[in-house]
Amino acid sequence: MMYDCSIEGLELFDAKEEHIPNLLFLIQKIAEYEKMSDEVTASYESLKESIFEKKRAHVILAKYQNEIVGYMLYFYNYSTFTGSANLYLEDIFILKEYRKLGIGKTFFKILAQIACKNHCKRIDWVCLNWNEPSLNFYKSIHAKRLDYWVLHRLEEIDIKNLANS
């Protein structure tokens, strides 16, 4: 699917299996930006299975002047408080040289349209506390910073240990 956008030379569209190499490249770039390159274990096969076969997430790509320059990956979660499905934005990333062109705001506008169409009451995401450019951008679109929640995580080995305890 193609999405409407008002930026000259910009196309936003749903990723297809043929775009997995582009997506892997962008995932490496966001990991590099976030100083987490050593944590990336995604592969062509894992993305193909989870995104394109099992449809566990949705990816929208940004192509600017015929070059793929960014992506947004989201999925649905559920809130018992709102009694509705909501969106969780896992990643939004635009190559450095293409930032400040309005691509990020356009991604969020499309995500908001998807949320409205699907009666979602929330869009949630996390941001590293040192990432001031992103934090300032989120503030500019009126996102609320929720400092009262504490993020917790079970990683793969912990999940296996818990499952087998």
Side-chain angles (χ1 to χ4, degrees), residues 100-117:
K100 304 212 184 263
L101 297 174
I103 298 170
K105 189 165 186 180
T106 303
F107 267 144
F108 267 95
K109 181 179 178 180
I110 288 167
L111 193 60
Q113 290 169 350
I114 292 167
C116 287
K117 179 181 174 185

Side-chain angles (χ1 to χ4, degrees), residues 6-128:
S6 59
I7 298 171
E8 182 78 28
L10 179 66
E11 295 176 48
L12 297 176
F13 57 94
D14 290 332
K16 296 186 173 121
E17 191 175 322
E18 67 198 53
H19 299 113
I20 294 174
N22 303 98
L23 183 56
L24 274 169
F25 170 76
L26 292 167
I27 289 169
Q28 287 293 342
K29 287 300 200 181
I30 192 174
E32 183 181 304
Y33 175 75
E34 293 179 344
K35 301 173 182 75
M36 298 176 152
S37 294
D38 58 331
E39 295 187 32
V40 176
T41 59
S43 66
Y44 184 97
E45 294 77 22
S46 68
L47 295 177
K48 178 182 175 192
E49 178 184 357
S50 62
I51 296 172
F52 299 100
E53 292 173 3
K54 293 185 177 177
K55 302 197 184 308
R56 299 236 169 107
H58 305 273
V59 177
I60 298 175
L61 294 173
K63 184 187 278 189
Y64 185 72
Q65 297 178 344
N66 294 317
E67 182 181 351
I68 294 178
V69 300
Y71 77 105
M72 175 173 65
L73 186 146
Y74 69 94
F75 54 88
Y76 291 87
N77 60 12
Y78 191 85
S79 168
T80 56
F81 285 16
T82 65
S84 66
N86 297 293
L87 293 179
Y88 186 83
L89 177 61
E90 176 65 20
D91 285 341
I92 181 171
F93 181 74
I94 299 150
L95 294 172
K96 185 176 183 175
E97 56 270 28
Y98 297 96
R99 294 179 193 153
K100 304 212 184 263
L101 297 174
I103 298 170
K105 189 165 186 180
T106 303
F107 267 144
F108 267 95
K109 181 179 178 180
I110 288 167
L111 193 60
Q113 290 169 350
I114 292 167
C116 287
K117 179 181 174 185
N118 291 284
H119 309 288
C120 298
K121 298 205 169 63
R122 295 180 183 159
I123 300 172
D124 294 316
W125 67 94
V126 297
C127 181
L128 293 165

